[in-house]
Amino acid sequence: MLKNVKRLRLLSLIITILFLVTAQAYGAGYANPHLLVSPADIEKNMGKWIVLDCRPTAAYNEGHIPGAIHLGDTCSRALRDITGPAGHIADMTEMKRQGEIEKILGRAGISPDKTVVVYGDEVDANTQSAGVGFFVLEYWGHKDVRFLNGGMNAWRGAGMKVETKPTKLPATKYKANPNPKILATTDEVIKIAKGEVKGVQLVDYRTPDEYSGKTPGRRVSALRGGHIPNTTVNINHVGLYDKETGKIKTAAELEKLHAKLDKTKRTIGYCRTGTRSSLAYFVQRLMGFKDPANYQDSWIYWSSREDLPIAR
């Protein structure tokens, strides 16, 4: 009898240690650790949380988290308006109108009172797409949005079940409550660029070559190269997550990356199309920045306006 009691105590100690190690891996040092969840968190809340797969349709169909929903395209494209190659500027992105976003989320069965977890995988575009999902939902006032660290890779790596059958939730009536404060406008950024507004941090999350003007864009070149005047710092977006696993970097690594910034000041991130800076917005929220925002128009729009100043 005594041996059984000792064994139970030892087992309980092992479980506690494993729990603490897991909690440390996913939440240690972050100001808002609840925003970053693990596969175990999702499994524990199956049926309570809504899980949104932000990857391409083909990836979703090949295998996804059981019960995860999909919007028929990546979150980057489904939740924003994108002008394709036939448009004035390739890959120009902007926010959808409120009525349209309410229809999309309502048809998907997303309720405003439910926790929504977004996820991608190790592919750069898919990790960033999950960032877009997080930012757009927060912009439209969703109260509880979270991010699966490592996405589908982490789920498979944890030995969790995968399904291929699409999940369709009952339609709901979604009422959006936009939060304009987290969406920086071109007018606001112009004032920063011209030095008319002080105390706001402007962060360029593109590559160093894009920032310097050596490479105007990535897949499709912007019309001009360089960066927005009075940009506080250039932080390469690839430093935000591990490109092999899709996992967000540790708190210590992110703190080092953002060492030149003051978390108490308004901090606006931008990139080329507002996609990488959407993920950066999530990272800033995770780190505890008090007033983070995303400049959705970003460089692709700024560079197209010949009346707007640029720096190199």
Side-chain angles (χ1 to χ4, degrees), residues 93-114:
T93 59
E94 60 183 7
M95 304 297 285
K96 288 183 179 292
R97 294 184 181 277
Q98 182 169 335
E100 187 176 2
I101 207 76
E102 288 175 341
K103 288 180 181 178
I104 292 171
L105 299 180
R107 283 198 300 264
I110 297 176
S111 301
D113 60 332
K114 291 279 190 178

Side-chain angles (χ1 to χ4, degrees), residues 1 27 109 126 155 168 172 180 186 188 217 242 255 282 300:
M1 181 68 176
N126 296 343
W155 184 264
K168 298 292 183 183
T172 64
T186 294
E188 179 183 5
D242 187 316
E255 290 291 344
F282 164 74
I300 194 92

Side-chain angles (χ1 to χ4, degrees), residues 126-257:
N126 296 343
T127 301
Q128 295 163 24
S129 184
V132 171
F134 182 91
F135 169 72
V136 171
L137 284 169
E138 283 218 335
Y139 172 76
W140 290 111
H142 205 92
K143 298 298 183 183
D144 191 2
V145 191
R146 308 188 190 192
F147 192 102
L148 173 59
N149 201 15
M152 199 63 198
N153 278 13
W155 184 264
R156 292 182 189 275
M160 302 294 190
K161 292 182 179 180
V162 175
E163 69 178 18
T164 57
K165 183 180 179 181
T167 296
K168 298 292 183 183
L169 299 178
T172 64
K173 185 175 178 59
Y174 195 95
K175 179 60 179 175
N177 183 26
N179 178 12
K181 188 177 182 181
I182 69 172
L183 182 66
T185 65
T186 294
D187 286 343
E188 179 183 5
V189 177
I190 287 174
K191 292 177 182 178
I192 297 168
K194 292 183 177 181
E196 297 172 3
V197 172
K198 306 291 185 181
V200 177
Q201 300 172 133
L202 197 56
V203 185
D204 187 324
Y205 281 99
R206 298 176 300 159
T207 64
D209 281 351
E210 289 175 278
Y211 177 78
S212 68
K214 182 178 180 180
T215 306
R218 297 199 302 169
R219 291 178 295 106
V220 180
S221 294
L223 298 185
R224 293 185 292 168
H227 57 269
I228 299 172
N230 288 324
T231 292
T232 308
V233 66
N234 171 222
I235 297 177
N236 195 337
H237 71 284
V238 300
L240 302 178
Y241 57 94
D242 187 316
K243 294 185 70 173
E244 296 295 323
T245 65
K247 285 188 175 181
I248 300 299
K249 290 293 184 71
T250 65
E253 289 171 315
L254 294 178
E255 290 291 344
K256 184 178 180 180
L257 200 63

